[in-house]
Amino acid sequence: MTEGRRVRVVVIGAGIGGLVAALRLAHAGLDVTVLERAAHPGGKMRSVPVDGRAVEAGPTVFTMRWVLDEIFSECGASLDDRVTLAPAAILARHAWGPDGHLDLFADPRASRDAIATFAGAREAEGYDRFRARAAAVYRTLEGPFIRGQRPSPVALTRRAGLSGLGDLWRIQPFTTLWSALGEYFSDPRLRQLFGRYATYCGASPYRAPATLMLVAHVESQGVWHVAGGLSALARAVADLAAERGAHLRTEAHVARILTDRTGVTGVELADGERLPADAVVCNADAAALADGLLGAAAARGADRVPPAERSLSAVTLCMNAEAQGFPLLRHTVFFSGDYAAEFDGIARGRLPADPTVYVCAQDRGDVAPEAPGPERLLCLVNAPAGGATPSEIATCTTALHRRLGACGLRLTDTPATVTTGPAGFGTLFPGTGGALYGRASHGWMASFRRPGARTAIPGLYLAGGSVHPGPGVPMAAQSGRLAADSLLADRATARASTRPSAVAAMSGGTSMP
């Protein structure tokens, strides 16, 4: 780099991880360009037009707001000034059939009372013990894992020290989530409810580690409704990054990352344009990098994700529909009649015959809208990554409506409904094979197998939900933060290593090694 010239950084992908990295690097004074192949920033935090209305088609639950609060504050801004957030009093509604439902509340005492009414005093006592354990798991992992650079099992143990070894053991890393839930709940419906948190990471509750019970603690600390949806949050980060000097180019398809023997030198677009860079932050799925979709040179040292190790995908329906017969809230889950069979079928590569259905009623909060009529809905069922034929998608859609109908909900959707299956997600997000969360969180080692921010190629950094610390909006945002921190730390180290020594052995001094 020439003396006095600003460091040039190219960020590939305007998902939340890439946007956060761009924001922090631009705020630090670097010359940042973000290249996004889609027409809008946000990545999976996206909306689609249905009957002239924007329906959120990606993540819909916003938790761990402290991550974005800290990122905005570190860049001289306030999250509350940029987006409108409202805390949810009811976290989600859950149904298994036509006879009643169970709500979880922001107030844990209200959740305990609801569980006692729904399943009895013994299950309520189990909920108290489960909530305490979930909080302990979160406290054990927040500092060394969520906030820290990618640790190995040995490094995590070393950081915990002798006094923390008991805490690491008690988070039950070698036990599956489903098995651990049996220590707290005998009612299979409650095991379904809390086992579903594994799907937040694209995993099966029958194969995910018990550490994922921490998701229950995360939700208990607050779920926020975002005005305009999470795509609006992505736009707010993009706007702040632009104010700090980052340049965003949409519909810019990066064909390959350019390197030489010293490391990264820039990127080449699909139309042949080349952009020189001193560093690149890749916010594409890590699998795309490993599979050579950004050039053979950039794939050096990257780990491939075999199809069998990919996370869950989904079948989603975005619609304007009139909902009748069931009191939907913003977040409602309709559970399948046989959870084990559902995930067994997915593991075998089949769409579920009786799916669990998540419905996000985007015009509702904790109560139903005052005026009946069509409303914006996202309906989602879990699916295996990979292909699914149109007839299989149609059969799955019929099963989705059948499950909703079994719980009393009738939807009058329109021909304008936008349906996306695993193959569609594979097209939207190349290299994923349709997987939405990178490598599946199956087994105690899975979280340690996600790549960290630094790569084997000098100047190339990774961000996004497929890398450490994992999937989900706050975790992906944290990955962008870690990528930016790694890049800035490496630049500072490089400057220090070439700074003249204070004591010179000869004229001109020497450089530190």
Side-chain angles (χ1 to χ4, degrees):
M1 161 181 155
T2 304
E3 186 69 26
R5 178 175 61 75
R6 288 199 300 163
V7 175
R8 297 168 301 189
V9 180
V10 168
V11 177
I12 302 173
I16 190 64
L19 291 174
V20 166
L23 167 60
R24 286 178 59 82
L25 293 171
H27 182 72
L30 278 61
D31 183 358
V32 179
T33 299
V34 183
L35 302 174
E36 169 55 49
R37 70 196 302 269
H40 305 282
K44 295 183 178 73
M45 299 165 67
R46 65 192 185 97
S47 64
V48 297
V50 181
D51 289 330
R53 304 179 71 192
V55 179
E56 292 293 293
T60 56
V61 178
F62 183 46
T63 61
M64 294 175 67
R65 64 165 289 175
W66 62 262
V67 175
L68 272 300
D69 276 324
E70 290 181 1
I71 289 167
F72 272 64
S73 178
E74 290 160 357
C75 295
S78 167
L79 178 64
D80 285 319
D81 290 341
R82 302 290 176 141
V83 293
T84 301
L85 302 174
I90 303 177
L91 305 182
R93 176 159 287 171
H94 310 84
W96 289 262
D99 300 325
H101 51 259
L102 173 63
D103 294 343
L104 288 186
F105 297 84
D107 181 352
R109 294 169 298 182
S111 293
R112 188 190 194 283
D113 292 343
I115 289 172
T117 300
F118 181 77
R122 183 175 179 180
E123 300 300 284
E125 185 274 332
Y127 171 71
D128 286 339
R129 291 187 292 109
F130 170 72
R131 194 166 63 85
R133 174 53 54 204
V137 172
Y138 180 85
R139 286 194 300 270
T140 299
L141 294 178
E142 182 192 313
F145 191 84
I146 295 173
R147 288 183 177 272
Q149 295 287 349
R150 174 178 175 262
S152 67
V154 173
L156 185 62
T157 302
R158 184 183 301 119
R159 181 164 178 176
L162 290 177
S163 62
L165 288 179
D167 291 334
L168 287 177
W169 183 255
R170 282 189 289 273
I171 67 176
Q172 299 175 283
F174 308 113
T175 303
T176 66
L177 177 60
W178 188 262
S179 177
L181 289 172
E183 300 176 18
Y184 306 98
F185 306 108
S186 59
D187 190 316
R189 297 171 299 177
L190 295 179
R191 292 178 75 179
Q192 266 187 302
L193 191 161
F194 293 108
R196 179 178 169 270
Y197 288 138
T199 66
Y200 283 34
C201 301
S204 162
Y206 299 93
R207 301 177 63 192
T211 50
L212 288 184
M213 68 175 66
L214 66 82
V215 177
H217 174 72
V218 166
E219 283 208 342
S220 73
Q221 298 305 293
V223 171
W224 280 265
H225 303 316
V226 183
L230 286 175
S231 62
L233 175 61
R235 290 193 299 271
V237 179
D239 289 345
L240 182 58
E243 291 175 23
R244 296 297 183 265
H247 306 281
L248 173 64
R249 291 177 55 180
T250 56
E251 299 181 308
H253 182 189
V254 177
R256 64 189 180 111
I257 298 170
L258 305 175
T259 65
D260 63 15
R261 62 182 180 81
T262 67
V264 163
T265 61
V267 302
E268 182 178 313
L269 303 187
D271 62 4
E273 180 185 359
R274 291 192 172 196
L275 278 70
D278 303 297
V280 169
V281 177
C282 182
N283 186 214
D285 195 281
L289 196 70
D291 290 344
L293 298 187
L294 290 167
R300 176 165 55 90
D303 291 332
R304 295 190 69 252
V305 179
E309 297 181 18
R310 290 173 177 157
S311 70
L312 294 174
S313 185
V315 174
T316 63
L317 279 65
C318 294
M319 63 180 76
N320 280 301
E322 189 166 350
Q324 298 176 333
F326 184 94
L328 287 174
L329 297 183
R330 174 72 68 94
H331 306 293
T332 308
V333 182
F334 300 87
F335 283 103
S336 66
D338 190 335
Y339 217 39
E342 178 180 355
F343 282 96
D344 180 65
I346 290 173
R348 297 173 186 271
R350 299 194 300 263
L351 295 175
D354 179 20
T356 294
V357 184
Y358 164 70
V359 178
C360 178
Q362 296 168 26
D363 298 312
R364 304 191 183 208
D366 297 329
V367 296
E370 293 182 2
E375 55 184 302
R376 297 175 302 154
L377 302 175
L378 166 67
C379 301
L380 179 150
V381 303
N382 296 316
T389 66
S391 64
E392 289 171 332
I393 297 292
T395 299
C396 182
T397 300
T398 299
L400 177 154
H401 284 283
R402 186 167 56 244
R403 169 48 49 191
L404 297 181
C407 296
L409 177 62
R410 300 182 306 279
L411 299 180
T412 56
D413 57 348
T414 68
T417 295
V418 176
T419 302
T420 308
F425 287 116
T427 300
L428 287 169
F429 310 111
T432 64
L436 293 175
Y437 311 88
R439 187 186 296 270
S441 299
H442 291 156
W444 73 276
M445 273 295 294
S447 294
F448 298 106
R449 297 184 66 187
R450 291 179 178 272
R454 293 182 173 91
T455 71
I457 301 174
L460 177 59
Y461 302 85
L462 304 180
S466 66
V467 306
H468 174 80
V473 171
M475 295 292 215
Q478 180 71 355
S479 78
R481 190 185 196 185
L482 294 173
D485 289 349
S486 298
L487 192 160
L488 293 171
D490 291 347
R491 301 301 303 187
T493 299
R495 287 196 302 271
S497 69
T498 57
R499 188 176 296 123
S501 172
V503 179
M506 60 184 66
S507 177
T510 62
S511 294
M512 298 296 289

Short mmCIF file of all heavy atoms in Angstrom, two decimals, residues 148-152 281-282 286 289 301-303 447-456 460-464 466-470 478-480 482-484 486:
data_model
loop_
_atom_site.label_atom_id
_atom_site.label_comp_id
_atom_site.label_asym_id
_atom_site.label_seq_id
_atom_site.Cartn_x
_atom_site.Cartn_y
_atom_site.Cartn_z
N GLY A 148 -16.27 -13.74 21.11
CA GLY A 148 -14.88 -13.96 20.78
C GLY A 148 -14.66 -14.45 19.36
O GLY A 148 -15.57 -14.92 18.69
N GLN A 149 -13.40 -14.32 18.90
CA GLN A 149 -13.02 -14.92 17.64
C GLN A 149 -13.16 -16.44 17.75
O GLN A 149 -13.15 -17.00 18.84
CB GLN A 149 -11.58 -14.55 17.28
CG GLN A 149 -11.36 -13.07 17.02
CD GLN A 149 -11.95 -12.60 15.69
OE1 GLN A 149 -12.34 -13.42 14.86
NE2 GLN A 149 -12.00 -11.29 15.48
N ARG A 150 -13.26 -17.10 16.63
CA ARG A 150 -13.54 -18.54 16.59
C ARG A 150 -12.59 -19.33 17.48
O ARG A 150 -11.40 -19.41 17.23
CB ARG A 150 -13.40 -19.03 15.15
CG ARG A 150 -13.53 -20.53 14.99
CD ARG A 150 -13.43 -20.88 13.52
NE ARG A 150 -13.43 -22.30 13.30
CZ ARG A 150 -12.33 -23.02 13.13
NH1 ARG A 150 -11.14 -22.45 13.19
NH2 ARG A 150 -12.42 -24.32 12.90
N PRO A 151 -13.12 -19.93 18.57
CA PRO A 151 -12.26 -20.71 19.46
C PRO A 151 -12.28 -22.19 19.08
O PRO A 151 -13.25 -22.69 18.51
CB PRO A 151 -12.92 -20.52 20.83
CG PRO A 151 -14.39 -20.42 20.51
CD PRO A 151 -14.48 -19.79 19.13
N SER A 152 -11.20 -22.87 19.37
CA SER A 152 -11.19 -24.33 19.28
C SER A 152 -11.70 -24.88 20.60
O SER A 152 -11.77 -24.14 21.60
CB SER A 152 -9.78 -24.84 19.02
OG SER A 152 -8.95 -24.59 20.15
N VAL A 281 -13.66 -8.66 2.25
CA VAL A 281 -14.53 -9.35 3.22
C VAL A 281 -15.59 -10.07 2.40
O VAL A 281 -16.38 -9.43 1.70
CB VAL A 281 -15.19 -8.37 4.20
CG1 VAL A 281 -16.14 -9.14 5.14
CG2 VAL A 281 -14.13 -7.64 5.01
N CYS A 282 -15.59 -11.40 2.48
CA CYS A 282 -16.53 -12.20 1.70
C CYS A 282 -17.73 -12.56 2.56
O CYS A 282 -17.62 -13.33 3.52
CB CYS A 282 -15.84 -13.46 1.18
SG CYS A 282 -16.92 -14.47 0.16
N ALA A 286 -19.94 -19.59 3.01
CA ALA A 286 -18.61 -20.17 3.00
C ALA A 286 -18.51 -21.33 2.03
O ALA A 286 -17.44 -21.60 1.47
CB ALA A 286 -18.23 -20.63 4.41
N LEU A 289 -17.42 -20.23 -1.43
CA LEU A 289 -15.98 -20.01 -1.51
C LEU A 289 -15.25 -21.34 -1.69
O LEU A 289 -14.40 -21.49 -2.57
CB LEU A 289 -15.50 -19.30 -0.24
CG LEU A 289 -14.12 -18.65 -0.29
CD1 LEU A 289 -14.15 -17.43 -1.19
CD2 LEU A 289 -13.70 -18.23 1.12
N GLY A 301 -7.62 -23.62 1.04
CA GLY A 301 -7.74 -23.75 2.48
C GLY A 301 -9.15 -23.73 3.01
O GLY A 301 -9.37 -23.93 4.21
N ALA A 302 -10.14 -23.50 2.15
CA ALA A 302 -11.54 -23.46 2.60
C ALA A 302 -12.10 -24.88 2.69
O ALA A 302 -11.80 -25.73 1.86
CB ALA A 302 -12.38 -22.62 1.64
N ASP A 303 -12.90 -25.12 3.71
CA ASP A 303 -13.49 -26.44 3.92
C ASP A 303 -14.82 -26.55 3.19
O ASP A 303 -15.70 -25.70 3.34
CB ASP A 303 -13.72 -26.70 5.42
CG ASP A 303 -12.42 -26.86 6.18
OD1 ASP A 303 -11.42 -27.29 5.56
OD2 ASP A 303 -12.39 -26.54 7.38
N SER A 447 -20.23 -26.54 15.89
CA SER A 447 -20.01 -25.10 16.03
C SER A 447 -18.54 -24.73 15.86
O SER A 447 -18.21 -23.61 15.42
CB SER A 447 -20.50 -24.62 17.40
OG SER A 447 -21.91 -24.75 17.49
N PHE A 448 -17.64 -25.67 16.17
CA PHE A 448 -16.22 -25.40 16.03
C PHE A 448 -15.74 -25.62 14.60
O PHE A 448 -14.61 -25.26 14.26
CB PHE A 448 -15.42 -26.30 16.98
CG PHE A 448 -15.73 -26.06 18.42
CD1 PHE A 448 -16.49 -26.96 19.14
CD2 PHE A 448 -15.27 -24.93 19.08
CE1 PHE A 448 -16.79 -26.75 20.48
CE2 PHE A 448 -15.56 -24.70 20.41
CZ PHE A 448 -16.32 -25.61 21.11
N ARG A 449 -16.58 -26.21 13.76
CA ARG A 449 -16.19 -26.47 12.38
C ARG A 449 -16.56 -25.33 11.45
O ARG A 449 -16.18 -25.33 10.28
CB ARG A 449 -16.83 -27.78 11.90
CG ARG A 449 -16.35 -29.00 12.68
CD ARG A 449 -16.92 -30.28 12.11
NE ARG A 449 -16.42 -30.53 10.76
CZ ARG A 449 -16.85 -31.52 9.98
NH1 ARG A 449 -17.82 -32.31 10.42
NH2 ARG A 449 -16.35 -31.70 8.79
N ARG A 450 -17.31 -24.37 11.93
CA ARG A 450 -17.57 -23.19 11.12
C ARG A 450 -16.29 -22.37 11.01
O ARG A 450 -15.57 -22.20 11.99
CB ARG A 450 -18.66 -22.33 11.75
CG ARG A 450 -20.05 -22.97 11.70
CD ARG A 450 -21.09 -22.08 12.35
NE ARG A 450 -22.40 -22.67 12.26
CZ ARG A 450 -23.24 -22.51 11.24
NH1 ARG A 450 -22.89 -21.71 10.25
NH2 ARG A 450 -24.41 -23.11 11.22
N PRO A 451 -15.98 -21.84 9.84
CA PRO A 451 -14.77 -21.04 9.71
C PRO A 451 -14.88 -19.74 10.50
O PRO A 451 -15.98 -19.25 10.77
CB PRO A 451 -14.68 -20.76 8.21
CG PRO A 451 -16.08 -20.91 7.70
CD PRO A 451 -16.72 -21.96 8.57
N GLY A 452 -13.73 -19.21 10.87
CA GLY A 452 -13.68 -17.91 11.54
C GLY A 452 -13.50 -16.79 10.54
O GLY A 452 -13.55 -16.99 9.32
N ALA A 453 -13.25 -15.60 11.04
CA ALA A 453 -13.14 -14.43 10.17
C ALA A 453 -11.89 -14.48 9.29
O ALA A 453 -11.93 -14.11 8.12
CB ALA A 453 -13.13 -13.15 11.01
N ARG A 454 -10.78 -14.97 9.82
CA ARG A 454 -9.53 -15.02 9.06
C ARG A 454 -9.47 -16.29 8.22
O ARG A 454 -10.00 -17.32 8.60
CB ARG A 454 -8.33 -14.96 10.00
CG ARG A 454 -8.17 -13.62 10.72
CD ARG A 454 -6.92 -13.63 11.59
NE ARG A 454 -6.65 -12.32 12.17
CZ ARG A 454 -7.10 -11.91 13.35
NH1 ARG A 454 -7.88 -12.72 14.08
NH2 ARG A 454 -6.82 -10.70 13.81
N THR A 455 -8.84 -16.18 7.06
CA THR A 455 -8.67 -17.31 6.17
C THR A 455 -7.18 -17.57 5.96
O THR A 455 -6.32 -16.84 6.48
CB THR A 455 -9.32 -17.05 4.79
OG1 THR A 455 -8.53 -16.08 4.09
CG2 THR A 455 -10.75 -16.55 4.94
N ALA A 456 -6.89 -18.61 5.18
CA ALA A 456 -5.49 -18.94 4.88
C ALA A 456 -4.87 -17.94 3.92
O ALA A 456 -3.65 -17.95 3.73
CB ALA A 456 -5.41 -20.35 4.31
N LEU A 460 -7.96 -11.82 3.08
CA LEU A 460 -9.30 -12.33 2.81
C LEU A 460 -9.98 -12.70 4.12
O LEU A 460 -9.45 -13.53 4.88
CB LEU A 460 -9.26 -13.54 1.89
CG LEU A 460 -10.62 -14.21 1.58
CD1 LEU A 460 -11.58 -13.22 0.93
CD2 LEU A 460 -10.42 -15.44 0.71
N TYR A 461 -11.15 -12.13 4.37
CA TYR A 461 -11.89 -12.33 5.62
C TYR A 461 -13.31 -12.80 5.30
O TYR A 461 -13.83 -12.54 4.21
CB TYR A 461 -11.92 -11.04 6.44
CG TYR A 461 -10.54 -10.53 6.77
CD1 TYR A 461 -9.84 -9.73 5.86
CD2 TYR A 461 -9.92 -10.87 7.97
CE1 TYR A 461 -8.55 -9.28 6.15
CE2 TYR A 461 -8.63 -10.42 8.27
CZ TYR A 461 -7.96 -9.64 7.34
OH TYR A 461 -6.68 -9.20 7.63
N LEU A 462 -13.92 -13.47 6.25
CA LEU A 462 -15.26 -14.03 6.05
C LEU A 462 -16.26 -13.43 7.03
O LEU A 462 -15.91 -13.13 8.18
CB LEU A 462 -15.24 -15.55 6.24
CG LEU A 462 -14.27 -16.35 5.37
CD1 LEU A 462 -14.40 -17.84 5.68
CD2 LEU A 462 -14.51 -16.08 3.90
N ALA A 463 -17.49 -13.29 6.59
CA ALA A 463 -18.59 -12.85 7.44
C ALA A 463 -19.86 -13.54 6.96
O ALA A 463 -19.92 -14.05 5.85
CB ALA A 463 -18.76 -11.33 7.39
N GLY A 464 -20.88 -13.55 7.83
CA GLY A 464 -22.17 -14.12 7.45
C GLY A 464 -22.59 -15.25 8.35
O GLY A 464 -21.84 -15.71 9.22
N SER A 466 -22.94 -18.34 7.81
CA SER A 466 -22.31 -19.65 7.65
C SER A 466 -20.97 -19.74 8.37
O SER A 466 -20.34 -20.79 8.36
CB SER A 466 -22.11 -19.97 6.16
OG SER A 466 -21.18 -19.08 5.57
N VAL A 467 -20.52 -18.64 8.98
CA VAL A 467 -19.25 -18.63 9.69
C VAL A 467 -19.49 -18.37 11.18
O VAL A 467 -20.63 -18.17 11.62
CB VAL A 467 -18.27 -17.59 9.09
CG1 VAL A 467 -18.12 -17.82 7.59
CG2 VAL A 467 -18.73 -16.17 9.35
N HIS A 468 -18.43 -18.40 11.96
CA HIS A 468 -18.54 -18.15 13.39
C HIS A 468 -19.05 -16.73 13.65
O HIS A 468 -18.64 -15.81 12.96
CB HIS A 468 -17.15 -18.34 14.02
CG HIS A 468 -17.10 -17.97 15.47
ND1 HIS A 468 -17.54 -18.81 16.46
CD2 HIS A 468 -16.68 -16.84 16.10
CE1 HIS A 468 -17.39 -18.23 17.63
NE2 HIS A 468 -16.87 -17.03 17.44
N PRO A 469 -19.97 -16.51 14.62
CA PRO A 469 -20.45 -17.46 15.63
C PRO A 469 -21.71 -18.24 15.24
O PRO A 469 -22.21 -19.00 16.06
CB PRO A 469 -20.72 -16.57 16.84
CG PRO A 469 -21.12 -15.26 16.26
CD PRO A 469 -20.32 -15.11 15.00
N GLY A 470 -22.22 -18.07 13.99
CA GLY A 470 -23.35 -18.89 13.58
C GLY A 470 -24.45 -18.11 12.92
O GLY A 470 -24.35 -16.90 12.68
N GLN A 478 -22.78 -10.07 14.29
CA GLN A 478 -21.57 -10.21 15.10
C GLN A 478 -20.41 -10.72 14.25
O GLN A 478 -19.27 -10.32 14.45
CB GLN A 478 -21.84 -11.15 16.27
CG GLN A 478 -20.66 -11.39 17.20
CD GLN A 478 -20.32 -10.18 18.06
OE1 GLN A 478 -20.90 -9.10 17.91
NE2 GLN A 478 -19.36 -10.35 18.95
N SER A 479 -20.69 -11.59 13.27
CA SER A 479 -19.61 -12.08 12.40
C SER A 479 -19.00 -10.94 11.60
O SER A 479 -17.79 -10.92 11.37
CB SER A 479 -20.14 -13.17 11.46
OG SER A 479 -20.86 -12.61 10.36
N GLY A 480 -19.84 -10.00 11.15
CA GLY A 480 -19.31 -8.84 10.44
C GLY A 480 -18.45 -7.97 11.33
O GLY A 480 -17.42 -7.42 10.89
N LEU A 482 -16.71 -9.09 13.90
CA LEU A 482 -15.46 -9.82 14.12
C LEU A 482 -14.56 -9.74 12.89
O LEU A 482 -13.33 -9.64 13.02
CB LEU A 482 -15.76 -11.28 14.46
CG LEU A 482 -16.47 -11.52 15.80
CD1 LEU A 482 -16.86 -12.99 15.94
CD2 LEU A 482 -15.60 -11.09 16.97
N ALA A 483 -15.16 -9.78 11.69
CA ALA A 483 -14.36 -9.66 10.47
C ALA A 483 -13.68 -8.30 10.39
O ALA A 483 -12.49 -8.19 10.07
CB ALA A 483 -15.24 -9.89 9.24
N ALA A 484 -14.45 -7.24 10.68
CA ALA A 484 -13.87 -5.90 10.66
C ALA A 484 -12.78 -5.76 11.71
O ALA A 484 -11.70 -5.20 11.44
CB ALA A 484 -14.96 -4.86 10.89
N SER A 486 -10.90 -8.10 12.95
CA SER A 486 -9.74 -8.88 12.53
C SER A 486 -8.93 -8.13 11.47
O SER A 486 -7.70 -8.06 11.54
CB SER A 486 -10.18 -10.24 11.98
OG SER A 486 -10.84 -11.00 12.95
#
